[in-house]
């Protein structure tokens, strides 16, 4: 019986220490190893259309589709701190795991580019949020401001730069 008491106390102490350990925030990309993809869709004019993804190790992948300086795929290493910052900046707008949401705007400006943010976990489960780039107010406005700064933060601004080619159609 005497040996059981110290063992029980040791177990309780270990459990108590675990209770003090920081717990990952539910839905936090930085703690779950999710890849974060931001796709910028077409507008009524000659807006850049591209997607970029950032892996937890900081690898940035870019695919220019239309009206970008670079068409096709490129990759660069931005670093884990860039990934962590992006995950932190987008966390307030991330819907519940496995769901899709539209971020509220005070008014919908429909001829602007949509942004679609997708968090993909290691098992392939996707969570996504959509917002219009012309969002003049509400939660969407704060998100759009963060997304407009994204090319510079990821080092892809020169690739994503708006470029109109002869004969290219709008949209």
């Amino acid at each position: 019986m005497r040996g059981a008491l110290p063992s029980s106390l040791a177990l309780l102490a270990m459990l108590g220490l675990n209770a003090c350990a920081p717990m990952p925030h539910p839905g936090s990309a930085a703690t779950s190893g999710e890849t974060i993809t931001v796709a910028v869709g077409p507008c009524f004019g000659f807006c850049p259309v591209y997607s970029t993804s950032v892996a937890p190790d900081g690898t940035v992948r870019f695919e220019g589709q239309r009206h970008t300086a670079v068409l096709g795929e490129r990759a660069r290493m931005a670093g884990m701190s860039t990934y962590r910052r992006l995950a932190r900046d987008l966390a307030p707008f991330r819907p519940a795991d496995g769901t899709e949401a539209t971020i509220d705007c005070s008014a919908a400006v429909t001829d602007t580019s949509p942004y679609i943010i997708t968090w993909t976990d290691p098992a392939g489960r996707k969570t996504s949020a959509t917002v219009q780039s012309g969002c003049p107010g509400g939660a969407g406005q704060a998100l759009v401001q963060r997304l407009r700064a994204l090319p510079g933060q990821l080092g892809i601004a020169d690739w994503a730069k708006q470029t109109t080619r002869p004969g290219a159609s709008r949209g």
Side-chain angles (χ1 to χ4, degrees):
M1 189 74 175
R2 289 189 125 186
L5 184 60
S7 296
S8 296
L9 289 175
L11 178 62
L12 286 174
M14 287 175 50
L15 290 173
L17 287 175
N18 281 340
C20 296
M23 296 298 291
H25 180 270
S28 170
T31 60
S32 64
E34 293 176 317
T35 296
I36 302 169
T37 302
V38 177
V40 183
C43 71
F44 186 66
F46 294 94
C47 302
V49 178
Y50 65 91
S51 68
T52 188
S53 62
V54 184
D57 69 356
T59 301
V60 176
R61 299 196 186 287
F62 172 88
E63 182 184 357
Q65 298 164 7
R66 288 191 299 202
H67 311 303
T68 56
V70 171
L71 296 175
E73 296 181 10
R74 296 278 170 93
R76 67 176 302 277
M77 180 56 76
M80 290 174 26
S81 64
T82 298
Y83 172 84
R84 286 191 298 268
R85 178 179 177 195
L86 176 63
R88 183 191 69 233
D89 287 351
L90 297 179
F93 306 99
R94 187 187 185 286
D97 287 346
T99 65
E100 298 177 8
T102 299
I103 306 301
D104 292 329
C105 270
S106 61
V109 182
T110 59
D111 60 349
T112 61
S113 299
Y115 287 104
I116 302 168
I117 307 157
T118 305
W119 294 263
T120 305
D121 71 18
R125 184 170 61 168
K126 296 180 185 295
T127 301
S128 66
T130 303
V131 66
Q132 283 298 128
S133 65
C135 183
Q141 183 180 29
L143 176 55
V144 167
Q145 288 173 346
R146 289 183 175 140
L147 294 172
R148 284 190 176 142
L150 194 60
Q153 293 170 354
L154 299 180
I156 62 167
D158 289 341
W159 301 343
K161 187 172 112 180
Q162 194 281 333
T163 303
T164 304
R165 291 175 177 76
S169 63
R170 291 191 297 192

